[in-house]
PDB file of all heavy atoms in Angstrom:
ATOM      1  N   ARG A   1      86.108 -24.812  22.810  1.00 90.00           N
ATOM      2  CA  ARG A   1      85.354 -24.385  21.637  1.00 90.00           C
ATOM      3  C   ARG A   1      85.733 -25.268  20.448  1.00 90.00           C
ATOM      4  O   ARG A   1      86.913 -25.474  20.167  1.00 90.00           O
ATOM      5  CB  ARG A   1      85.657 -22.925  21.308  1.00 90.00           C
ATOM      6  CG  ARG A   1      84.836 -22.407  20.149  1.00 90.00           C
ATOM      7  CD  ARG A   1      85.142 -20.963  19.829  1.00 90.00           C
ATOM      8  NE  ARG A   1      86.393 -20.925  19.065  1.00 90.00           N
ATOM      9  CZ  ARG A   1      87.337 -20.016  19.238  1.00 90.00           C
ATOM     10  NH1 ARG A   1      87.207 -19.085  20.132  1.00 90.00           N
ATOM     11  NH2 ARG A   1      88.427 -20.052  18.511  1.00 90.00           N
ATOM     12  N   TRP A   2      84.721 -25.809  19.757  1.00 88.00           N
ATOM     13  CA  TRP A   2      84.937 -26.602  18.548  1.00 88.00           C
ATOM     14  C   TRP A   2      84.670 -25.716  17.342  1.00 88.00           C
ATOM     15  O   TRP A   2      83.678 -25.000  17.296  1.00 88.00           O
ATOM     16  CB  TRP A   2      83.980 -27.786  18.500  1.00 88.00           C
ATOM     17  CG  TRP A   2      84.278 -28.845  19.495  1.00 88.00           C
ATOM     18  CD1 TRP A   2      83.691 -28.990  20.721  1.00 88.00           C
ATOM     19  CD2 TRP A   2      85.228 -29.887  19.390  1.00 88.00           C
ATOM     20  NE1 TRP A   2      84.222 -30.073  21.378  1.00 88.00           N
ATOM     21  CE2 TRP A   2      85.178 -30.649  20.573  1.00 88.00           C
ATOM     22  CE3 TRP A   2      86.134 -30.272  18.400  1.00 88.00           C
ATOM     23  CZ2 TRP A   2      85.977 -31.755  20.793  1.00 88.00           C
ATOM     24  CZ3 TRP A   2      86.936 -31.380  18.626  1.00 88.00           C
ATOM     25  CH2 TRP A   2      86.850 -32.098  19.802  1.00 88.00           C
ATOM     26  N   THR A   3      85.554 -25.762  16.347  1.00 92.00           N
ATOM     27  CA  THR A   3      85.384 -25.011  15.117  1.00 92.00           C
ATOM     28  C   THR A   3      85.448 -25.976  13.938  1.00 92.00           C
ATOM     29  O   THR A   3      86.376 -26.783  13.855  1.00 92.00           O
ATOM     30  CB  THR A   3      86.508 -23.963  14.963  1.00 92.00           C
ATOM     31  OG1 THR A   3      86.526 -23.130  16.114  1.00 92.00           O
ATOM     32  CG2 THR A   3      86.309 -23.116  13.723  1.00 92.00           C
ATOM     33  N   LYS A   4      84.471 -25.891  13.053  1.00 91.00           N
ATOM     34  CA  LYS A   4      84.485 -26.734  11.858  1.00 91.00           C
ATOM     35  C   LYS A   4      85.545 -26.194  10.903  1.00 91.00           C
ATOM     36  O   LYS A   4      85.562 -25.023  10.567  1.00 91.00           O
ATOM     37  CB  LYS A   4      83.124 -26.725  11.172  1.00 91.00           C
ATOM     38  CG  LYS A   4      83.079 -27.594   9.916  1.00 91.00           C
ATOM     39  CD  LYS A   4      81.722 -27.540   9.246  1.00 91.00           C
ATOM     40  CE  LYS A   4      81.532 -26.176   8.658  1.00 91.00           C
ATOM     41  NZ  LYS A   4      80.400 -26.006   7.800  1.00 91.00           N
ATOM     42  N   VAL A   5      86.454 -27.069  10.475  1.00 93.00           N
ATOM     43  CA  VAL A   5      87.527 -26.680   9.567  1.00 93.00           C
ATOM     44  C   VAL A   5      87.202 -27.130   8.149  1.00 93.00           C
ATOM     45  O   VAL A   5      87.479 -26.430   7.184  1.00 93.00           O
ATOM     46  CB  VAL A   5      88.883 -27.275  10.031  1.00 93.00           C
ATOM     47  CG1 VAL A   5      89.986 -26.946   9.065  1.00 93.00           C
ATOM     48  CG2 VAL A   5      89.219 -26.786  11.433  1.00 93.00           C
ATOM     49  N   GLY A   6      86.595 -28.314   8.006  1.00 94.00           N
ATOM     50  CA  GLY A   6      86.257 -28.828   6.686  1.00 94.00           C
ATOM     51  C   GLY A   6      85.212 -29.913   6.772  1.00 94.00           C
ATOM     52  O   GLY A   6      85.005 -30.514   7.824  1.00 94.00           O
ATOM     53  N   LEU A   7      84.536 -30.149   5.636  1.00 92.00           N
ATOM     54  CA  LEU A   7      83.492 -31.164   5.579  1.00 92.00           C
ATOM     55  C   LEU A   7      83.483 -31.771   4.181  1.00 92.00           C
ATOM     56  O   LEU A   7      83.510 -31.047   3.190  1.00 92.00           O
ATOM     57  CB  LEU A   7      82.127 -30.548   5.883  1.00 92.00           C
ATOM     58  CG  LEU A   7      80.933 -31.476   5.900  1.00 92.00           C
ATOM     59  CD1 LEU A   7      81.058 -32.497   7.019  1.00 92.00           C
ATOM     60  CD2 LEU A   7      79.659 -30.680   6.057  1.00 92.00           C
ATOM     61  N   THR A   8      83.467 -33.098   4.116  1.00 94.00           N
ATOM     62  CA  THR A   8      83.414 -33.825   2.852  1.00 94.00           C
ATOM     63  C   THR A   8      82.299 -34.852   2.934  1.00 94.00           C
ATOM     64  O   THR A   8      82.170 -35.540   3.944  1.00 94.00           O
ATOM     65  CB  THR A   8      84.750 -34.557   2.580  1.00 94.00           C
ATOM     66  OG1 THR A   8      85.803 -33.608   2.607  1.00 94.00           O
ATOM     67  CG2 THR A   8      84.738 -35.255   1.247  1.00 94.00           C
ATOM     68  N   VAL A   9      81.482 -34.963   1.862  1.00 94.00           N
ATOM     69  CA  VAL A   9      80.392 -35.935   1.814  1.00 94.00           C
ATOM     70  C   VAL A   9      80.545 -36.766   0.542  1.00 94.00           C
ATOM     71  O   VAL A   9      80.791 -36.222  -0.536  1.00 94.00           O
ATOM     72  CB  VAL A   9      79.012 -35.233   1.827  1.00 94.00           C
ATOM     73  CG1 VAL A   9      77.888 -36.246   1.665  1.00 94.00           C
ATOM     74  CG2 VAL A   9      78.844 -34.432   3.102  1.00 94.00           C
ATOM     75  N   ASN A  10      80.408 -38.088   0.668  1.00 92.00           N
ATOM     76  CA  ASN A  10      80.487 -39.009  -0.461  1.00 92.00           C
ATOM     77  C   ASN A  10      79.257 -39.896  -0.492  1.00 92.00           C
ATOM     78  O   ASN A  10      78.823 -40.387   0.543  1.00 92.00           O
ATOM     79  CB  ASN A  10      81.733 -39.896  -0.351  1.00 92.00           C
ATOM     80  CG  ASN A  10      83.006 -39.106  -0.418  1.00 92.00           C
ATOM     81  OD1 ASN A  10      83.226 -38.376  -1.373  1.00 92.00           O
ATOM     82  ND2 ASN A  10      83.828 -39.219   0.592  1.00 92.00           N
ATOM     83  N   ASP A  11      78.707 -40.103  -1.687  1.00 90.00           N
ATOM     84  CA  ASP A  11      77.576 -41.018  -1.891  1.00 90.00           C
ATOM     85  C   ASP A  11      78.062 -42.122  -2.819  1.00 90.00           C
ATOM     86  O   ASP A  11      78.224 -41.914  -4.017  1.00 90.00           O
ATOM     87  CB  ASP A  11      76.402 -40.269  -2.509  1.00 90.00           C
ATOM     88  CG  ASP A  11      75.159 -41.126  -2.630  1.00 90.00           C
ATOM     89  OD1 ASP A  11      75.248 -42.357  -2.462  1.00 90.00           O
ATOM     90  OD2 ASP A  11      74.090 -40.563  -2.903  1.00 90.00           O
ATOM     91  N   THR A  12      78.334 -43.304  -2.253  1.00 86.00           N
ATOM     92  CA  THR A  12      78.854 -44.422  -3.020  1.00 86.00           C
ATOM     93  C   THR A  12      77.913 -45.608  -2.890  1.00 86.00           C
ATOM     94  O   THR A  12      77.685 -46.090  -1.780  1.00 86.00           O
ATOM     95  CB  THR A  12      80.261 -44.817  -2.506  1.00 86.00           C
ATOM     96  OG1 THR A  12      81.089 -43.663  -2.508  1.00 86.00           O
ATOM     97  CG2 THR A  12      80.869 -45.891  -3.375  1.00 86.00           C
ATOM     98  N   ASN A  13      77.352 -46.044  -4.006  1.00 86.00           N
ATOM     99  CA  ASN A  13      76.444 -47.202  -4.024  1.00 86.00           C
ATOM    100  C   ASN A  13      75.317 -47.059  -3.011  1.00 86.00           C
ATOM    101  O   ASN A  13      74.963 -48.018  -2.319  1.00 86.00           O
ATOM    102  CB  ASN A  13      77.217 -48.500  -3.782  1.00 86.00           C
ATOM    103  CG  ASN A  13      78.217 -48.791  -4.880  1.00 86.00           C
ATOM    104  OD1 ASN A  13      77.964 -48.467  -6.029  1.00 86.00           O
ATOM    105  ND2 ASN A  13      79.334 -49.370  -4.528  1.00 86.00           N
ATOM    106  N   GLY A  14      74.770 -45.861  -2.857  1.00 80.00           N
ATOM    107  CA  GLY A  14      73.650 -45.629  -1.950  1.00 80.00           C
ATOM    108  C   GLY A  14      74.030 -45.430  -0.505  1.00 80.00           C
ATOM    109  O   GLY A  14      73.187 -45.149   0.332  1.00 80.00           O
ATOM    110  N   GLY A  15      75.305 -45.562  -0.170  1.00 84.00           N
ATOM    111  CA  GLY A  15      75.757 -45.331   1.203  1.00 84.00           C
ATOM    112  C   GLY A  15      76.365 -43.943   1.322  1.00 84.00           C
ATOM    113  O   GLY A  15      77.322 -43.614   0.630  1.00 84.00           O
ATOM    114  N   VAL A  16      75.778 -43.102   2.141  1.00 90.00           N
ATOM    115  CA  VAL A  16      76.260 -41.729   2.289  1.00 90.00           C
ATOM    116  C   VAL A  16      77.147 -41.650   3.524  1.00 90.00           C
ATOM    117  O   VAL A  16      76.730 -41.987   4.627  1.00 90.00           O
ATOM    118  CB  VAL A  16      75.087 -40.731   2.391  1.00 90.00           C
ATOM    119  CG1 VAL A  16      75.598 -39.314   2.508  1.00 90.00           C
ATOM    120  CG2 VAL A  16      74.159 -40.861   1.194  1.00 90.00           C
ATOM    121  N   ARG A  17      78.390 -41.228   3.308  1.00 92.00           N
ATOM    122  CA  ARG A  17      79.363 -41.078   4.398  1.00 92.00           C
ATOM    123  C   ARG A  17      80.031 -39.724   4.263  1.00 92.00           C
ATOM    124  O   ARG A  17      80.033 -39.123   3.196  1.00 92.00           O
ATOM    125  CB  ARG A  17      80.428 -42.167   4.339  1.00 92.00           C
ATOM    126  CG  ARG A  17      79.909 -43.539   4.670  1.00 92.00           C
ATOM    127  CD  ARG A  17      81.037 -44.548   4.691  1.00 92.00           C
ATOM    128  NE  ARG A  17      80.567 -45.834   5.155  1.00 92.00           N
ATOM    129  CZ  ARG A  17      80.681 -46.265   6.404  1.00 92.00           C
ATOM    130  NH1 ARG A  17      81.267 -45.522   7.306  1.00 92.00           N
ATOM    131  NH2 ARG A  17      80.217 -47.445   6.754  1.00 92.00           N
ATOM    132  N   GLY A  18      80.620 -39.297   5.332  1.00 95.00           N
ATOM    133  CA  GLY A  18      81.321 -38.023   5.289  1.00 95.00           C
ATOM    134  C   GLY A  18      82.424 -37.972   6.324  1.00 95.00           C
ATOM    135  O   GLY A  18      82.529 -38.844   7.197  1.00 95.00           O
ATOM    136  N   THR A  19      83.249 -36.959   6.202  1.00 95.00           N
ATOM    137  CA  THR A  19      84.256 -36.677   7.214  1.00 95.00           C
ATOM    138  C   THR A  19      84.154 -35.203   7.584  1.00 95.00           C
ATOM    139  O   THR A  19      83.922 -34.355   6.722  1.00 95.00           O
ATOM    140  CB  THR A  19      85.693 -36.981   6.730  1.00 95.00           C
ATOM    141  OG1 THR A  19      85.956 -36.225   5.543  1.00 95.00           O
ATOM    142  CG2 THR A  19      85.899 -38.448   6.466  1.00 95.00           C
ATOM    143  N   ALA A  20      84.295 -34.936   8.859  1.00 94.00           N
ATOM    144  CA  ALA A  20      84.310 -33.567   9.355  1.00 94.00           C
ATOM    145  C   ALA A  20      85.645 -33.343  10.059  1.00 94.00           C
ATOM    146  O   ALA A  20      86.041 -34.144  10.910  1.00 94.00           O
ATOM    147  CB  ALA A  20      83.160 -33.334  10.331  1.00 94.00           C
ATOM    148  N   THR A  21      86.334 -32.303   9.666  1.00 96.00           N
ATOM    149  CA  THR A  21      87.571 -31.922  10.333  1.00 96.00           C
ATOM    150  C   THR A  21      87.226 -30.782  11.283  1.00 96.00           C
ATOM    151  O   THR A  21      86.656 -29.768  10.865  1.00 96.00           O
ATOM    152  CB  THR A  21      88.637 -31.480   9.322  1.00 96.00           C
ATOM    153  OG1 THR A  21      88.828 -32.520   8.370  1.00 96.00           O
ATOM    154  CG2 THR A  21      89.957 -31.179  10.008  1.00 96.00           C
ATOM    155  N   VAL A  22      87.525 -30.957  12.564  1.00 95.00           N
ATOM    156  CA  VAL A  22      87.194 -29.954  13.581  1.00 95.00           C
ATOM    157  C   VAL A  22      88.441 -29.618  14.403  1.00 95.00           C
ATOM    158  O   VAL A  22      89.342 -30.429  14.545  1.00 95.00           O
ATOM    159  CB  VAL A  22      86.064 -30.443  14.517  1.00 95.00           C
ATOM    160  CG1 VAL A  22      84.765 -30.622  13.752  1.00 95.00           C
ATOM    161  CG2 VAL A  22      86.438 -31.736  15.204  1.00 95.00           C
ATOM    162  N   ARG A  23      88.461 -28.396  14.909  1.00 96.00           N
ATOM    163  CA  ARG A  23      89.563 -27.954  15.751  1.00 96.00           C
ATOM    164  C   ARG A  23      89.019 -27.611  17.140  1.00 96.00           C
ATOM    165  O   ARG A  23      88.075 -26.849  17.273  1.00 96.00           O
ATOM    166  CB  ARG A  23      90.243 -26.731  15.159  1.00 96.00           C
ATOM    167  CG  ARG A  23      91.429 -26.244  15.997  1.00 96.00           C
ATOM    168  CD  ARG A  23      92.139 -25.048  15.380  1.00 96.00           C
ATOM    169  NE  ARG A  23      92.617 -25.379  14.050  1.00 96.00           N
ATOM    170  CZ  ARG A  23      92.281 -24.705  12.947  1.00 96.00           C
ATOM    171  NH1 ARG A  23      91.464 -23.689  13.005  1.00 96.00           N
ATOM    172  NH2 ARG A  23      92.767 -25.056  11.773  1.00 96.00           N
ATOM    173  N   LEU A  24      89.617 -28.193  18.170  1.00 94.00           N
ATOM    174  CA  LEU A  24      89.263 -27.907  19.555  1.00 94.00           C
ATOM    175  C   LEU A  24      90.255 -26.885  20.094  1.00 94.00           C
ATOM    176  O   LEU A  24      91.468 -27.072  19.996  1.00 94.00           O
ATOM    177  CB  LEU A  24      89.340 -29.182  20.399  1.00 94.00           C
ATOM    178  CG  LEU A  24      89.233 -29.002  21.910  1.00 94.00           C
ATOM    179  CD1 LEU A  24      87.851 -28.478  22.288  1.00 94.00           C
ATOM    180  CD2 LEU A  24      89.535 -30.291  22.629  1.00 94.00           C
ATOM    181  N   THR A  25      89.727 -25.790  20.644  1.00 94.00           N
ATOM    182  CA  THR A  25      90.565 -24.777  21.274  1.00 94.00           C
ATOM    183  C   THR A  25      90.179 -24.701  22.746  1.00 94.00           C
ATOM    184  O   THR A  25      89.010 -24.517  23.078  1.00 94.00           O
ATOM    185  CB  THR A  25      90.360 -23.399  20.614  1.00 94.00           C
ATOM    186  OG1 THR A  25      90.587 -23.527  19.213  1.00 94.00           O
ATOM    187  CG2 THR A  25      91.309 -22.366  21.195  1.00 94.00           C
ATOM    188  N   THR A  26      91.163 -24.851  23.638  1.00 90.00           N
ATOM    189  CA  THR A  26      90.904 -24.784  25.074  1.00 90.00           C
ATOM    190  C   THR A  26      91.040 -23.348  25.554  1.00 90.00           C
ATOM    191  O   THR A  26      91.556 -22.479  24.840  1.00 90.00           O
ATOM    192  CB  THR A  26      91.883 -25.675  25.858  1.00 90.00           C
ATOM    193  OG1 THR A  26      93.204 -25.147  25.705  1.00 90.00           O
ATOM    194  CG2 THR A  26      91.835 -27.115  25.380  1.00 90.00           C
ATOM    195  N   GLU A  27      90.604 -23.093  26.772  1.00 89.00           N
ATOM    196  CA  GLU A  27      90.678 -21.734  27.316  1.00 89.00           C
ATOM    197  C   GLU A  27      92.114 -21.248  27.491  1.00 89.00           C
ATOM    198  O   GLU A  27      92.362 -20.055  27.545  1.00 89.00           O
ATOM    199  CB  GLU A  27      89.911 -21.633  28.629  1.00 89.00           C
ATOM    200  CG  GLU A  27      90.477 -22.476  29.747  1.00 89.00           C
ATOM    201  CD  GLU A  27      89.625 -22.432  30.992  1.00 89.00           C
ATOM    202  OE1 GLU A  27      88.456 -22.040  30.934  1.00 89.00           O
ATOM    203  OE2 GLU A  27      90.149 -22.805  32.043  1.00 89.00           O
ATOM    204  N   THR A  28      93.065 -22.180  27.558  1.00 90.00           N
ATOM    205  CA  THR A  28      94.472 -21.782  27.692  1.00 90.00           C
ATOM    206  C   THR A  28      95.142 -21.560  26.336  1.00 90.00           C
ATOM    207  O   THR A  28      96.319 -21.248  26.268  1.00 90.00           O
ATOM    208  CB  THR A  28      95.272 -22.852  28.464  1.00 90.00           C
ATOM    209  OG1 THR A  28      95.194 -24.095  27.756  1.00 90.00           O
ATOM    210  CG2 THR A  28      94.739 -23.004  29.884  1.00 90.00           C
ATOM    211  N   GLY A  29      94.373 -21.737  25.238  1.00 89.00           N
ATOM    212  CA  GLY A  29      94.900 -21.487  23.906  1.00 89.00           C
ATOM    213  C   GLY A  29      95.441 -22.717  23.200  1.00 89.00           C
ATOM    214  O   GLY A  29      95.883 -22.632  22.064  1.00 89.00           O
ATOM    215  N   GLY A  30      95.408 -23.874  23.849  1.00 93.00           N
ATOM    216  CA  GLY A  30      95.852 -25.108  23.207  1.00 93.00           C
ATOM    217  C   GLY A  30      94.896 -25.508  22.103  1.00 93.00           C
ATOM    218  O   GLY A  30      93.700 -25.274  22.192  1.00 93.00           O
ATOM    219  N   GLU A  31      95.431 -26.088  21.033  1.00 94.00           N
ATOM    220  CA  GLU A  31      94.593 -26.518  19.917  1.00 94.00           C
ATOM    221  C   GLU A  31      94.873 -27.969  19.560  1.00 94.00           C
ATOM    222  O   GLU A  31      95.999 -28.444  19.689  1.00 94.00           O
ATOM    223  CB  GLU A  31      94.847 -25.653  18.674  1.00 94.00           C
ATOM    224  CG  GLU A  31      94.341 -24.246  18.803  1.00 94.00           C
ATOM    225  CD  GLU A  31      94.485 -23.483  17.505  1.00 94.00           C
ATOM    226  OE1 GLU A  31      95.197 -23.930  16.581  1.00 94.00           O
ATOM    227  OE2 GLU A  31      93.858 -22.411  17.415  1.00 94.00           O
ATOM    228  N   SER A  32      93.813 -28.637  19.102  1.00 95.00           N
ATOM    229  CA  SER A  32      93.920 -30.019  18.661  1.00 95.00           C
ATOM    230  C   SER A  32      92.953 -30.196  17.496  1.00 95.00           C
ATOM    231  O   SER A  32      91.806 -29.763  17.569  1.00 95.00           O
ATOM    232  CB  SER A  32      93.548 -30.963  19.804  1.00 95.00           C
ATOM    233  OG  SER A  32      93.576 -32.295  19.375  1.00 95.00           O
ATOM    234  N   THR A  33      93.415 -30.799  16.396  1.00 96.00           N
ATOM    235  CA  THR A  33      92.569 -31.026  15.228  1.00 96.00           C
ATOM    236  C   THR A  33      92.209 -32.503  15.151  1.00 96.00           C
ATOM    237  O   THR A  33      93.054 -33.366  15.361  1.00 96.00           O
ATOM    238  CB  THR A  33      93.293 -30.581  13.945  1.00 96.00           C
ATOM    239  OG1 THR A  33      93.621 -29.189  14.063  1.00 96.00           O
ATOM    240  CG2 THR A  33      92.420 -30.775  12.723  1.00 96.00           C
ATOM    241  N   ARG A  34      90.949 -32.781  14.848  1.00 94.00           N
ATOM    242  CA  ARG A  34      90.452 -34.152  14.754  1.00 94.00           C
ATOM    243  C   ARG A  34      89.677 -34.326  13.450  1.00 94.00           C
ATOM    244  O   ARG A  34      89.007 -33.403  12.995  1.00 94.00           O
ATOM    245  CB  ARG A  34      89.500 -34.483  15.910  1.00 94.00           C
ATOM    246  CG  ARG A  34      90.112 -34.402  17.277  1.00 94.00           C
ATOM    247  CD  ARG A  34      90.944 -35.643  17.549  1.00 94.00           C
ATOM    248  NE  ARG A  34      91.397 -35.667  18.923  1.00 94.00           N
ATOM    249  CZ  ARG A  34      92.628 -35.423  19.301  1.00 94.00           C
ATOM    250  NH1 ARG A  34      93.536 -35.118  18.421  1.00 94.00           N
ATOM    251  NH2 ARG A  34      92.978 -35.488  20.561  1.00 94.00           N
ATOM    252  N   VAL A  35      89.747 -35.533  12.882  1.00 95.00           N
ATOM    253  CA  VAL A  35      88.936 -35.885  11.720  1.00 95.00           C
ATOM    254  C   VAL A  35      87.927 -36.932  12.187  1.00 95.00           C
ATOM    255  O   VAL A  35      88.301 -37.986  12.696  1.00 95.00           O
ATOM    256  CB  VAL A  35      89.809 -36.445  10.570  1.00 95.00           C
ATOM    257  CG1 VAL A  35      88.927 -36.874   9.410  1.00 95.00           C
ATOM    258  CG2 VAL A  35      90.829 -35.402  10.117  1.00 95.00           C
ATOM    259  N   LEU A  36      86.642 -36.620  12.040  1.00 94.00           N
ATOM    260  CA  LEU A  36      85.565 -37.497  12.477  1.00 94.00           C
ATOM    261  C   LEU A  36      84.894 -38.122  11.253  1.00 94.00           C
ATOM    262  O   LEU A  36      84.572 -37.423  10.289  1.00 94.00           O
ATOM    263  CB  LEU A  36      84.519 -36.702  13.270  1.00 94.00           C
ATOM    264  CG  LEU A  36      85.051 -35.895  14.460  1.00 94.00           C
ATOM    265  CD1 LEU A  36      83.941 -35.038  15.046  1.00 94.00           C
ATOM    266  CD2 LEU A  36      85.632 -36.813  15.503  1.00 94.00           C
ATOM    267  N   THR A  37      84.689 -39.432  11.280  1.00 94.00           N
ATOM    268  CA  THR A  37      83.995 -40.129  10.209  1.00 94.00           C
ATOM    269  C   THR A  37      82.512 -40.185  10.545  1.00 94.00           C
ATOM    270  O   THR A  37      82.135 -40.549  11.659  1.00 94.00           O
ATOM    271  CB  THR A  37      84.557 -41.551  10.027  1.00 94.00           C
ATOM    272  OG1 THR A  37      85.954 -41.448   9.764  1.00 94.00           O
ATOM    273  CG2 THR A  37      83.886 -42.269   8.875  1.00 94.00           C
ATOM    274  N   LEU A  38      81.674 -39.816   9.572  1.00 94.00           N
ATOM    275  CA  LEU A  38      80.233 -39.750   9.779  1.00 94.00           C
ATOM    276  C   LEU A  38      79.522 -40.661   8.788  1.00 94.00           C
ATOM    277  O   LEU A  38      80.018 -40.904   7.686  1.00 94.00           O
ATOM    278  CB  LEU A  38      79.734 -38.315   9.568  1.00 94.00           C
ATOM    279  CG  LEU A  38      80.452 -37.236  10.367  1.00 94.00           C
ATOM    280  CD1 LEU A  38      80.085 -35.865   9.821  1.00 94.00           C
ATOM    281  CD2 LEU A  38      80.092 -37.343  11.829  1.00 94.00           C
ATOM    282  N   VAL A  39      78.360 -41.151   9.169  1.00 92.00           N
ATOM    283  CA  VAL A  39      77.512 -41.946   8.288  1.00 92.00           C
ATOM    284  C   VAL A  39      76.081 -41.417   8.419  1.00 92.00           C
ATOM    285  O   VAL A  39      75.660 -41.013   9.506  1.00 92.00           O
ATOM    286  CB  VAL A  39      77.598 -43.458   8.623  1.00 92.00           C
ATOM    287  CG1 VAL A  39      77.100 -43.757  10.017  1.00 92.00           C
ATOM    288  CG2 VAL A  39      76.872 -44.286   7.592  1.00 92.00           C
ATOM    289  N   LYS A  40      75.355 -41.388   7.303  1.00 90.00           N
ATOM    290  CA  LYS A  40      73.968 -40.916   7.334  1.00 90.00           C
ATOM    291  C   LYS A  40      73.048 -42.124   7.415  1.00 90.00           C
ATOM    292  O   LYS A  40      73.038 -42.980   6.526  1.00 90.00           O
ATOM    293  CB  LYS A  40      73.650 -40.085   6.099  1.00 90.00           C
ATOM    294  CG  LYS A  40      72.372 -39.304   6.227  1.00 90.00           C
ATOM    295  CD  LYS A  40      72.263 -38.273   5.138  1.00 90.00           C
ATOM    296  CE  LYS A  40      71.082 -37.373   5.399  1.00 90.00           C
ATOM    297  NZ  LYS A  40      70.956 -36.351   4.344  1.00 90.00           N
ATOM    298  N   GLU A  41      72.281 -42.207   8.498  1.00 88.00           N
ATOM    299  CA  GLU A  41      71.345 -43.305   8.740  1.00 88.00           C
ATOM    300  C   GLU A  41      69.983 -42.731   9.100  1.00 88.00           C
ATOM    301  O   GLU A  41      69.885 -41.873   9.974  1.00 88.00           O
ATOM    302  CB  GLU A  41      71.832 -44.190   9.897  1.00 88.00           C
ATOM    303  CG  GLU A  41      73.125 -44.905   9.625  1.00 88.00           C
ATOM    304  CD  GLU A  41      73.604 -45.706  10.835  1.00 88.00           C
ATOM    305  OE1 GLU A  41      73.122 -45.436  11.958  1.00 88.00           O
ATOM    306  OE2 GLU A  41      74.469 -46.572  10.657  1.00 88.00           O
ATOM    307  N   ASP A  42      68.965 -43.211   8.418  1.00 90.00           N
ATOM    308  CA  ASP A  42      67.577 -42.757   8.683  1.00 90.00           C
ATOM    309  C   ASP A  42      67.461 -41.250   8.659  1.00 90.00           C
ATOM    310  O   ASP A  42      66.749 -40.641   9.459  1.00 90.00           O
ATOM    311  CB  ASP A  42      67.083 -43.302  10.028  1.00 90.00           C
ATOM    312  CG  ASP A  42      67.075 -44.826  10.078  1.00 90.00           C
ATOM    313  OD1 ASP A  42      66.760 -45.444   9.028  1.00 90.00           O
ATOM    314  OD2 ASP A  42      67.404 -45.389  11.129  1.00 90.00           O
TER     315      ASP A  42
END
């Protein structure tokens, strides 16, 4: 299961980028947090 922990969006010089922090929880209860870099295109 993925859970959104946080989201940040920046608009710099017409380029829109963001970061999403997500937490993965496995069926055995293990957790892992990841930060994903995003870009808005079209």
Side-chain angles (χ1 to χ4, degrees):
R1 183 180 79 220
W2 289 96
T3 304
K4 180 181 69 170
V5 177
L7 181 64
T8 304
V9 176
N10 297 304
D11 185 347
T12 306
N13 296 326
V16 181
R17 291 184 174 263
T19 57
T21 305
V22 295
R23 181 178 302 123
L24 170 65
T25 305
T26 66
E27 64 185 18
T28 59
E31 290 186 346
S32 177
T33 301
R34 298 282 188 254
V35 177
L36 306 173
T37 303
L38 307 167
V39 63
K40 194 167 188 180
E41 296 177 342
D42 300 323

